Amino acid sequence: MAATESLESEIKEMIVEALVLEDVKPAEIETEAPLFLDGLGLDSIDALELAMALEERYGVAIEDDPERNQEIFASVKSLADFVRGQLEGATPQS
Amino acid sequence: MIPLSRLLDGSTDGGRLAAFGREGEPSHSDLRRDVAALAARLEPTRGRALLLYCDDAYAFAVGLLASVRAGAHPFLPPSRQPGVLERLAPEVAGALLDGDEPLPALRDRPHWHPLRDGSAEADPAPVSLDRDAPLATLFTSGTTGSGARVSKLVRHLEDEIAVLERRFGAALGPDTRVLTTVAPQHLYGLLFRVLWPLCSGRPLQRVAALHPQELTPYTAAGDFAVVTTPLALRHLVARGELAQCAGACRAVFCSGGPLSAEASRAAAASLGRVPFEIYGSTETGGVAVRQQPEGDEPWECMDGVSLAVDAETGCAVVTSPFTSVGEPASDGCARFVTGDRVELEPAGRFRLLGRADRVIKVGEKRLSLADMEARLAEHPAVEDAALTALDGAAGETRVGAVVRPSAEAWETLEAGGQRALGKLLGEFLAPDFERVFLPRAWRFAAALPRDAQGKLPSDRLRALFASEAAPREPERLDARRSENALTLRLRVPLDLAFFEGHFPGHPIVAGVVQLRFAMHALEELLGEAPRVERLEALKFHEILGPGVEVSLHVELDEARARFAFLLVDAARPERLFASARGFLAGPS
């Protein structure tokens, strides 16, 4: 459980850092809230930066399916689940 | 190559693939049938405007061609922002949309999905389009309120497509698939990823990729070209996507903003092709092309385009058959003065020097800072506002906002801090401006940093955002001094450098920081750093929060050995924040 939480908080920190969010503190990002539009309000430029940060940090590549990518980038939780899945090899990389 | 006006007259090879993607792989016969079926449904809108917004470029093409075939006039809104659609709604007879999401702004208008509910004839009658018929109206800048409308006739695009094919056709080859990260909605996408591919028989990608990885599935089918922007290209290269199939890459087109020579070289190394960069605008269409295999290269005008420099502004004046606004010139050309400053070089080549006005590109889309400032100023919390372009994460341009809040807003700020007000103002702008345009950083100040002429130089504005850390000093509003006393009117900044760490969640100015304000004032009064021997009767009274205007009074006794200070609310001096007396060490 502790490891789970730390990945989620790591991702929150990564979001604030990679996207240079001035007025947001990592702890204020809700794990299950939407990252885009009505939630944290990220946009398409952020999506690209975030994907890059994710790849650099965890060495995982996002997928070639746009709908799947939308799911992955839905929230901190979905990002963390994706990273865990990739690192554990649960989702085979194509 | 089929001219655009003859795309539906049966000249195209019906069996040829028109588009590809997860949504299906329609042929040119399908295109003709789908267009005819939709055009029949659009018949009642003849002579009226129709709003067209589709993510699927095939549905978009069907919607566009069917509208023209039915004698309707497509409007291509720059985005789906509710405010944008609401303003256009009164002018349109209906909307062509491919999403399932309802668009409340268009609720009371009929709308059609270009690919659904039509009864397709097996073999629709061939029809050719009038070269002088209106094709579409596009909108530039982020808002439609004061943004320019640009109407294009069929011939404007037909002629440009012919020039593109002559210039790049051989490099592309006949069956190359057109991969893209660009939406069909703007002129660059409309031309390069929708109409040129259709006219040249090259299959087009239906829904643009957001992430570079999403292009990969389409690289297996043979030769491809990529139509992209500097932002997407940077990500494509950085993630090494497509590098393993670079052999099949026939050409890379990049437009929407400046591509550095370095980025061009990196793209060439990764994709095996030096990108063709396209300079153009909604008003002028394509203007010039360049490639930068090594260093910084000048631009070269496309066939039929001539470029001059406006003596007064230094801006490019474009005369071309693709230009659809501006003064009419000979041979169906028009002459348009752009906002891009240029420098001419020998042989008709030129360099771009930047914008002359306050139009910036964010996410490769044009935003008029003046438009957004005007909108911002309509909010009751805003007394005055100025926007500036900032370098955001990884060098992408973002918007920064400096706001002078109204009197009531200062109270909100005192209570909720600047984040709450920034969020409120962002939400106020959101219906009218695309998400990428919304300010990423907010500064609230008692006065905008105007120069002696009352202007707001952009470097002064940018300076407010320059430091990574928030300002550590209070904002100085007024100073009055006599020989042995100094009274400062200060405003506690809203930026949280003062507040962080001390009392999380409660932005208050810690006593130690209030004392520091006093020591700085004492230093100013003494003309040197004070050497405080002893401090007594130091008291912190009421809690001091962000945004409060305070009066700080420091005085020395005649011998300049003792001092006292008082920090009070400037508006209500009975409200005391801090006070103390102290002794200074004698001269050493």
Side-chain angles (χ1 to χ4, degrees):
Chain A
M1 196 60 198
T4 300
E5 276 170 14
S6 79
L7 179 60
E8 264 89 358
S9 9
E10 247 178 60
I11 289 175
K12 290 176 189 178
E13 269 171 38
M14 187 187 79
I15 290 172
V16 170
E17 203 175 298
L19 307 182
V20 199
L21 300 180
E22 273 207 344
D23 294 329
V24 181
K25 295 208 176 69
E28 293 167 353
I29 301 175
E30 289 174 46
T31 307
E32 302 197 20
L35 289 175
F36 292 85
L37 304 175
D38 296 333
L40 192 55
L42 303 185
D43 57 39
S44 56
I45 299 179
D46 296 321
L48 287 167
E49 295 297 346
L50 200 51
M52 191 114 102
L54 211 61
E55 292 181 12
E56 278 169 9
R57 174 128 188 192
Y58 299 105
V60 299
I62 62 159
E63 315 217 341
D64 60 19
D65 176 351
E67 283 171 25
R68 175 79 187 108
N69 287 337
Q70 265 192 21
E71 289 165 19
I72 294 171
F73 285 89
S75 66
V76 169
K77 181 171 189 311
S78 59
L79 279 172
D81 289 344
F82 169 71
V83 170
R84 267 193 293 272
Q86 292 275 298
L87 295 182
E88 287 163 12
T91 313
Q93 262 181 282
S94 51
Chain B
M1 244 318 264
I2 309 291
L4 178 57
S5 56
R6 297 187 49 204
L7 201 55
L8 304 173
D9 75 352
S11 311
T12 53
D13 170 3
R16 223 176 159 79
L17 187 65
F20 59 90
R22 290 164 184 270
E23 302 73 21
E25 306 218 323
S27 66
H28 275 265
S29 299
D30 295 326
L31 176 71
R32 281 208 299 276
R33 269 197 300 274
D34 286 337
V35 168
L38 180 61
R41 290 194 290 155
L42 297 182
E43 197 54 47
T45 65
R46 179 168 292 278
R48 304 284 309 277
L50 287 175
L51 195 139
L52 171 62
Y53 196 104
C54 295
D55 289 325
D56 173 0
Y58 177 71
F60 175 90
V62 169
L64 182 79
L65 294 169
S67 301
V68 178
R69 190 179 160 154
H73 187 137
F75 276 11
L76 310 186
S79 72
R80 268 195 244 240
Q81 302 304 108
V84 171
L85 299 182
E86 253 158 48
R87 267 193 298 275
L88 290 177
E91 293 183 52
V92 300
L96 292 159
L97 307 164
D98 67 342
D100 287 321
E101 59 184 298
L103 294 174
L106 301 166
R107 225 179 354 236
D108 60 340
R109 307 272 147 182
H111 41 279
W112 300 270
H113 189 299
L115 305 180
R116 285 186 203 155
D117 310 322
S119 48
E121 302 163 59
D123 196 14
V127 60
S128 56
L129 306 175
D130 181 353
R131 263 179 56 83
D132 287 311
L135 179 74
T137 294
L138 296 102
F139 300 81
T140 66
S141 183
T143 62
T144 52
S146 48
R149 293 176 176 215
V150 181
S151 290
K152 297 282 174 190
L153 305 177
V154 170
R155 68 173 169 85
H156 289 125
L157 286 270
E158 176 168 302
D159 293 347
E160 186 166 351
I161 290 167
V163 166
L164 292 177
E165 184 64 25
R166 275 206 302 277
R167 175 77 168 77
F168 303 112
L172 281 171
D175 301 311
T176 304
R177 289 179 175 229
V178 179
L179 271 49
T180 191
T181 62
V182 176
Q185 208 69 18
H186 302 268
L187 186 64
Y188 173 49
L190 175 64
L191 258 175
F192 278 75
R193 76 166 294 340
V194 184
L195 296 179
W196 179 21
L198 286 178
C199 291
S200 61
R202 298 187 183 99
L204 63 93
Q205 183 181 336
R206 297 187 67 168
V207 177
L210 172 60
H211 294 281
Q213 283 86 348
E214 294 165 7
L215 293 173
T216 311
Y218 307 123
T219 55
D223 285 358
F224 63 88
V226 185
V227 172
T228 189
T229 61
L231 168 67
L233 185 60
R234 181 167 67 77
H235 284 274
L236 214 88
V237 170
R239 299 199 213 161
E241 214 60 38
L242 307 186
Q244 61 276 52
C245 44
C249 180
R250 300 290 301 251
V252 177
F253 295 96
C254 186
S255 187
L259 186 71
S260 67
E262 191 190 346
S264 172
R265 282 198 307 273
S270 172
L271 297 167
R273 300 283 171 184
V274 182
F276 289 113
E277 296 166 55
I278 310 294
Y279 163 58
S281 69
T282 309
E283 292 89 344
T284 57
V287 172
V289 186
R290 73 170 174 182
Q291 279 185 300
Q292 304 188 90
E294 281 149 28
D296 184 23
E297 292 291 329
W299 295 89
E300 202 167 324
C301 284
M302 303 207 316
D303 269 0
V305 178
S306 66
L307 185 136
V309 182
D310 182 64
E312 205 175 303
T313 59
C315 288
V317 182
V318 174
T319 307
S320 85
F322 328 133
T323 299
S324 59
V325 290
E327 280 170 46
S330 55
D331 298 329
C333 290
R335 185 176 165 277
F336 179 74
V337 184
T338 69
D340 296 310
R341 292 181 302 113
V342 289
E343 182 180 67
L344 290 186
E345 296 216 333
R349 309 203 316 164
F350 64 93
R351 288 180 193 274
L352 288 171
L353 306 175
R355 287 292 292 193
D357 52 18
R358 299 187 59 230
V359 169
I360 62 169
K361 287 263 180 121
V362 184
E364 270 104 38
K365 289 173 205 154
R366 243 154 80 172
L367 168 68
S368 156
L369 293 177
D371 277 3
M372 191 187 266
E373 280 167 3
R375 179 73 182 131
L376 204 49
E378 288 170 16
H379 194 280
V382 177
E383 199 67 39
D384 199 357
L387 301 174
T388 187
L390 299 176
D391 290 332
E396 292 305 326
T397 299
R398 292 294 202 165
V399 178
V402 184
V403 169
R404 180 157 71 90
S406 62
E408 312 86 80
W410 277 115
E411 284 169 24
T412 321
L413 278 167
E414 219 175 300
Q418 71 162 356
R419 186 174 160 202
L421 188 54
K423 190 162 189 287
L424 183 77
L425 295 175
E427 282 164 7
F428 175 70
L429 294 173
D432 295 301
F433 295 90
E434 290 184 52
R435 183 117 344 225
V436 293
F437 293 152
L438 298 183
R440 286 297 281 244
W442 295 85
R443 295 288 181 270
F444 297 95
L448 299 187
R450 295 192 188 276
D451 63 13
Q453 285 79 44
K455 291 194 173 151
L456 280 165
S458 59
D459 54 344
R460 283 198 183 195
L461 281 174
R462 269 201 291 271
L464 292 174
F465 299 91
S467 59
E468 289 257 320
R472 306 199 61 87
E473 294 310 315
E475 193 182 352
R476 188 167 176 141
L477 306 175
D478 185 42
R480 272 174 299 137
R481 72 165 294 170
S482 59
E483 199 188 333
N484 282 330
L486 176 66
T487 307
L488 299 175
R489 269 213 317 143
L490 305 171
R491 193 197 298 279
V492 177
L494 300 157
D495 306 83
L496 298 179
F498 294 106
F499 312 126
E500 261 170 342
H502 286 291
F503 304 99
H506 291 277
I508 66 169
V509 182
V512 57
V513 180
Q514 296 183 40
L515 188 58
R516 202 157 57 83
F517 294 176
M519 289 305 113
H520 282 175
L522 184 59
E523 176 172 350
E524 188 173 333
L525 190 56
L526 288 167
E528 61 179 356
R531 288 182 294 141
V532 177
E533 199 160 72
R534 195 164 83 240
L535 204 58
E536 54 188 36
L538 175 63
K539 282 206 181 103
F540 298 105
H541 308 266
E542 295 208 34
I543 285 173
L544 177 56
V548 180
E549 233 178 89
V550 294
S551 172
L552 172 61
H553 180 79
V554 187
E555 61 180 56
L556 292 165
D557 70 342
E558 300 229 330
R560 294 194 150 224
R562 293 197 297 171
F563 69 93
F565 79 85
L566 194 62
L567 185 70
V568 301
D569 189 324
R572 290 186 288 141
E574 69 279 9
R575 191 173 168 216
L576 187 61
F577 297 117
S579 58
R581 297 191 297 269
F583 295 86
L584 295 169
S588 48

